[in-house]
Structure formats: C-alpha cells, structure tokens
Amino acid sequence: MSPLSELKIGQSARVAAVAGVDEISIRLLEMGLTPGVEIKLLGAAPLGDPLEFELRGYRLSIRKSEALRVSVHLV
C-alpha cells in the first residue's frame, strides 16, 4: 500500500482505506473515495498541489495533504 499522493500522472490505483475519523476523512469518503474504488491521477497544479483525479466517472481535485490520508493499491 502507498499513499494516494504518491501516484504518478496517468497511474491508476484502488482505494484501500482512508485514515482518520475526523471531518476531512468523512468528507473524502463522501466524495467517493471509498475502499475498492479505482482512481487515476490526471494531473497536478503547477506547484504540485492540488491534485486532480478521475474516479466514478467524474474528476476530483484534492489537496496533497488530503491525498496523503488515502491508502491505495496500485493496479
């Protein structure tokens, strides 16, 4: 397992878990980052933050610090 923040552009992974039980982790789950979902890194802002992902047929931008809380398995 590795953090979602370490994916390379164009690389896909499957969500394993979201760390924490606070508002941020709940919000990440509500945005669709649930265990088992496939996610792909599409790009990053010029300074590397935020990161843009594709999952469930839509695009999602989250901060690198938030992506660090999501554990994934590479596919």
Side-chain angles (χ1 to χ4, degrees), residues 20-49:
V21 290
D22 57 359
E23 292 176 2
I24 293 172
S25 60
I26 291 170
R27 183 68 182 138
L28 290 171
L29 290 166
E30 289 175 344
M31 290 189 293
L33 291 165
T34 56
V37 73
E38 190 167 327
I39 187 166
K40 179 179 183 180
L41 178 59
L42 298 177
L47 296 177
D49 198 17

Side-chain angles (χ1 to χ4, degrees), residues 6-13 38-44 52-54 74-75:
E6 291 186 8
L7 284 185
K8 308 269 187 259
I9 293 175
Q11 198 171 26
S12 295
E38 190 167 327
I39 187 166
K40 179 179 183 180
L41 178 59
L42 298 177
E52 184 178 27
F53 297 94
E54 181 178 77
L74 297 178
V75 291

